[in-house]
Amino acid sequence: MKGSTAGSGTAGVNGCPVAHQPSGAGDAGPGYGDLLRLDELLALPPGPTKLHDEHLFYVAHMVYELWFKVILDELECARDGMFTGDVPRALYCLRRVATIERVMVQQVEVLETISPGSFARLRPLLYQASGIQSVQFREIEFLSGLKDERHLGRGDLRPADRESLRRRLAEPTLGDAFRELRRRRGDPDLLELLREEIPDSELLSVAEALTDHDEQFSVWRSRHVHMVERIIGAKPGTGGSSGVHYLRSTLDERFFPELWELRTRL
């Protein structure tokens, strides 16, 4: 979603950089492995160890972090689209986010292939590392409207991570952008739009896409709770949290409670 170019690349669609443009018939350009930097990528997870599931555990979480990065880019694009009144762009990005989140839910099954006994052997190698320390996860929450300044006080944050959260805390949320879009459209009554049997409103389409993001992220939270309980039971989490008890306490959190409350008022 960044419009700047890098290195000798040229600007592509919507200003996104193109890494390489073949200069002639004799210039085949980089291959698949070069474009994806596979030598670097495949060297990132730890190599084989005596613990069979260690490699899978790390790769699964690396994949989640890559999806988080894409989600953040798409949510920023959707927010910017709403602020400028570009509804097609906002919908394009929000629909992609919900689709990625459905994929993330399915990927929980991969972690569930780790047996409780195997994870008990793996757990000491994690030290105090835990998924609840994911800065990108918190960024998604902040950008979506769940801002909690207490996360900035965590002792395990690197300076760059703390700065990322501080920036997200200060910047507008998706909810702010939606309210601006609604103002641009004359501040219509969302309840009246929702009462239509077959809704035909761009503004309502954006509201429903935001609700999809909210719902799918909540489904992922719930699926993750069941996976954790299946593998470690009610033991405390590696990052110092109460484990499943803490995770369950987050299940009722909503990014856009006002959009959910509309259903009650119908």
Side-chain angles (χ1 to χ4, degrees), residues 214-234:
D214 202 343
E215 180 180 4
Q216 291 306 315
F217 205 76
S218 179
V219 170
W220 181 74
R221 286 182 193 270
S222 177
R223 191 70 179 83
H224 183 255
V225 169
H226 287 94
M227 179 270 294
V228 171
E229 186 172 22
R230 178 169 179 162
I231 293 177
I232 71 169

Side-chain angles (χ1 to χ4, degrees), residues 81-103:
M82 285 187 281
F83 269 125
T84 60
D86 190 344
V87 169
R89 177 174 293 274
L91 288 173
Y92 186 81
C93 297
L94 288 171
R95 286 165 179 162
R96 174 171 292 160
V97 166
T99 299
I100 292 171
E101 288 165 342
R102 291 184 186 97
V103 170

Side-chain angles (χ1 to χ4, degrees), residues 9-170:
T10 58
V13 179
N14 296 325
C16 294
V18 176
H20 180 87
Q21 288 287 348
S23 59
D27 185 359
Y32 175 82
D34 297 320
L35 282 173
L36 297 183
R37 298 163 63 181
L38 287 183
D39 288 342
E40 298 173 57
L41 180 65
L42 299 179
L44 289 176
T49 68
K50 293 181 180 179
L51 298 180
H52 180 74
D53 290 328
E54 183 178 12
H55 190 235
L56 180 144
F57 181 85
Y58 291 136
V59 168
H61 285 81
M62 290 167 68
V63 170
Y64 273 126
E65 290 295 330
L66 289 172
W67 280 134
F68 288 165
K69 185 179 188 306
V70 177
I71 287 174
L72 283 168
D73 286 344
E74 296 296 333
L75 291 181
E76 285 182 357
C77 182
R79 180 190 60 188
D80 295 346
M82 285 187 281
F83 269 125
T84 60
D86 190 344
V87 169
R89 177 174 293 274
L91 288 173
Y92 186 81
C93 297
L94 288 171
R95 286 165 179 162
R96 174 171 292 160
V97 166
T99 299
I100 292 171
E101 288 165 342
R102 291 184 186 97
V103 170
M104 286 168 46
V105 171
Q106 295 300 314
Q107 287 178 181
V108 173
E109 292 185 22
V110 175
L111 286 168
E112 280 189 335
T113 65
I114 301 176
S115 71
S118 179
F119 187 77
R121 292 170 173 80
L122 171 60
R123 186 169 182 169
L125 302 180
L126 303 178
Y127 301 97
Q128 293 300 308
S130 169
I132 67 170
Q133 297 165 350
S134 169
V135 172
Q136 289 196 118
F137 175 86
R138 296 302 176 194
E139 286 189 77
I140 292 172
E141 288 190 323
F142 282 19
L143 181 54
S144 299
L146 279 179
K147 294 185 177 182
D148 189 341
E149 192 172 359
R150 291 175 296 178
H151 290 301
L152 274 70
R154 283 175 21 208
D156 55 15
L157 283 178
R158 300 174 300 178
D161 293 337
R162 184 171 282 106
E163 182 55 35
S164 293
L165 291 182
R166 187 175 289 114
R167 176 173 59 86
R168 293 293 184 190
L169 191 65

